[in-house]
Amino acid sequence: MFQFNYLKAKSLADAAALAKANPDAKLMSGGMTLLPTLKQGLAQPSHLIDIGGLSELSGIEVKGNTLVIGAATRHYDVASSAVVRKAIPALAYLANQIGDPQVRNRGTLGGSVANNDPAADYPSAVLALNATIVTNQREIAADDFFQGMFATALEEGEIVVRIVFPLPKRAAYEKFPHPASGYAMAGVFIADTAAGVRVAVTGAGPGVFRWSDAEAALARGLKAGALDALHVDATDLNEDFHATREYRANLVQVMGKRALHKLLA
Amino acid sequence: MTKIELTVNGTRHAREVEDRTLLVDLLRDHLGLTGTHVGCDTSQCGCCTVHLDGRAVKSCTMLAAQADGASIVTIEGMAKGDKLHPVQQAFTDCHALQCGFCTPGMIMATAALLKDNPNPTDEEIYHGLEGNLCRCTGYINIVKAVKQAAQTMK
């Protein structure tokens, strides 16, 4: 690994000040993506600013008709939280499917969302549930937050503090994991919300996206078989040595059907 | 350089390390605890699994500096004198190792799994050991060992 300076932020304000003073620094929460990236020499930050332990970024609570989760909450804590399991069981299920147990013990919600890996699980839940990303500067709607492969609305040094999930009537997530990494080859999150049905797809395209045809079909009738007649256009999907874009298009439909089956169960 | 203090297998250590030092390098190179293995170095294989404040982590994917103030248990901390930990005993009894390279990580991951879930089904064992690879593919006996350990630890 290249040399860097490790800085442990004492508070959210301290982290923001450290990021401002060191423009080539990187913020680190669990480090489950960043550290492997550094070990492969794919990034060379001057400093790592550790925000993983900040109390301002922790906590899980239901507030009114929302579930609020601190950005530094680890996947294990989301997966095992009685509060999450009761409020949005699909979110606890999703958290328990990320990576492997060791990764879930370190990786965090905020880190996953800020990194916006096109095959990460959490972005699909944040987008489908119409969540709000609260940073140290502002609130950003999920529809505006995710901007394609590893791209988000976050400015340099802006820090995700918590995510506010409106409670859905019901929700379900199904993914086809890559057998080695556990990342989604295709994952579909369906949320039946007060504002209608929202469907988000991860793993298949260059970034998480809403599957508008599925949303329209489910708006016409939230019932078994509603997604059967849909054709998923493969044109803009990812293609690599793991799968062709046509294969991924088929996976999207299969995962969509499985998620719908689970939602209606 | 960063000054850190941590407890490893019950012993307090204070060290000054390079900021980029990985936890596994601290354990192996600075403290001489070479039972924790480095298999892949890319967070896939789980050979480097240790317990950090009671939870399984991959020590190749963590900085030593992040473990400041933490309590670590490695494979060397599992046996009590001459008495093997029940998970170690089960791996021995069930011949749950061939070359043995993945074994320290498998044992640490198994101990963590059984803490969360003392009576896992086969499916739950597969899911719980997903972060550990055995390149000899000796998984059948590993799963047997996890079940035996679960029985003896009841």
Side-chain angles (χ1 to χ4, degrees):
Chain A
M1 256 197 297
F2 295 115
Q3 294 277 7
F4 54 77
N5 293 304
Y6 172 87
L7 302 170
K8 192 168 177 64
K10 293 176 185 68
S11 66
L12 185 56
D14 183 38
L18 289 171
K20 200 169 177 194
N22 301 288
D24 292 327
K26 282 245 180 228
L27 295 158
M28 175 168 70
S29 183
M32 289 297 95
T33 300
L34 184 54
L35 289 173
T37 304
L38 296 185
K39 286 171 69 177
Q40 289 179 54
L42 297 175
Q44 195 173 1
S46 62
H47 298 73
L48 287 189
I49 303 169
D50 188 353
I51 56 172
L54 293 181
S55 60
E56 293 145 291
L57 271 52
S58 72
I60 298 175
E61 62 171 331
V62 169
K63 253 188 173 169
N65 56 357
T66 64
L67 172 66
V68 183
I69 305 182
T73 307
R74 302 188 193 283
H75 308 325
Y76 167 79
D77 293 316
V78 173
S80 61
S81 159
V83 175
V84 179
R85 284 180 175 191
K86 183 160 181 283
I88 312 180
L91 190 62
Y93 170 80
L94 175 149
N96 199 37
Q97 305 304 313
I98 298 171
D100 57 48
Q102 293 94 323
V103 167
R104 293 194 288 276
N105 283 335
R106 297 290 302 160
T108 68
L109 169 64
S112 170
V113 168
N115 188 49
N116 193 20
D117 188 300
D121 297 283
Y122 268 132
S124 69
V126 171
L127 187 59
L129 291 163
N130 200 15
T132 299
I133 294 92
V134 180
T135 76
N136 59 334
Q137 299 172 16
R138 60 192 165 136
E139 298 189 354
I140 309 170
D143 281 317
D144 302 323
F145 184 85
F146 300 108
Q147 301 184 349
M149 196 171 284
F150 296 109
T152 68
L154 291 171
E155 303 286 349
E156 284 300 316
E158 187 172 8
I159 302 169
V160 178
V161 177
R162 59 184 171 272
I163 298 186
V164 180
F165 298 90
L167 298 180
K169 287 181 238 172
R170 51 191 167 163
Y173 178 65
E174 278 299 306
K175 76 163 164 178
F176 188 91
H178 184 278
S181 69
Y183 274 106
M185 300 280 289
V188 177
F189 198 107
I190 305 178
D192 182 9
T193 75
V197 181
R198 290 169 63 103
V199 183
V201 176
T202 190
V208 65
F209 63 91
R210 284 175 67 185
W211 183 8
S212 48
D213 287 353
E215 292 183 356
L218 296 173
R220 286 193 293 274
L222 192 47
K223 54 181 194 286
L227 302 178
D228 289 1
L230 294 187
H231 169 74
V232 180
D233 184 3
T235 313
D236 295 327
L237 299 186
N238 292 343
E239 181 159 83
D240 52 32
F241 62 80
H242 302 308
T244 61
R245 49 179 64 90
E246 289 76 18
Y247 186 86
R248 280 197 168 83
N250 186 60
L251 277 184
V252 169
Q253 186 160 35
V254 174
M255 292 307 116
K257 285 191 212 169
R258 286 187 189 171
L260 177 61
H261 181 76
K262 211 167 158 187
L263 185 97
L264 298 172
Chain B
M1 302 292 279
T2 297
K3 281 186 182 159
I4 57 169
E5 271 190 56
L6 72 176
T7 303
V8 181
N9 301 330
T11 305
R12 195 97 182 137
H13 296 276
R15 285 284 189 284
E16 191 164 9
V17 297
E18 269 195 316
D19 290 18
R20 62 178 171 172
T21 305
L22 297 169
L23 177 58
V24 71
D25 294 331
L26 174 80
L27 295 171
R28 290 178 56 87
D29 300 343
H30 298 238
L31 303 180
L33 295 169
T34 52
T36 301
H37 292 168
V38 178
C40 67
D41 210 26
T42 53
S43 324
Q44 308 283 326
C45 79
C47 287
C48 65
T49 300
V50 300
H51 294 177
L52 172 97
D53 293 330
R55 303 217 54 85
V57 300
K58 291 181 179 174
S59 60
C60 84
T61 312
M62 227 191 119
L63 300 174
Q66 289 176 286
D68 184 32
S71 176
I72 309 277
V73 177
T74 70
I75 189 69
E76 290 90 346
M78 295 299 274
K80 296 275 176 280
D82 289 341
K83 192 169 165 50
L84 293 178
H85 185 279
V87 177
Q88 291 175 306
Q89 190 61 53
F91 270 65
T92 306
D93 294 346
C94 299
H95 191 58
L97 61 156
Q98 291 174 42
C99 84
F101 195 85
C102 72
T103 309
M106 284 286 179
I107 288 173
M108 299 312 286
T110 299
L113 164 66
L114 293 177
K115 203 166 84 171
D116 280 352
N117 184 352
N119 197 19
T121 63
D122 284 12
E123 285 299 324
E124 287 165 345
I125 293 170
Y126 307 155
H127 189 64
L129 294 182
E130 202 145 33
N132 294 73
L133 300 177
C134 168
R135 288 299 71 179
C136 309
T137 69
Y139 295 108
I140 300 287
N141 285 356
I142 289 171
V143 173
K144 263 190 211 163
V146 177
K147 288 177 162 170
Q148 179 184 310
Q151 285 300 321
T152 52
M153 289 168 74
K154 263 182 190 160

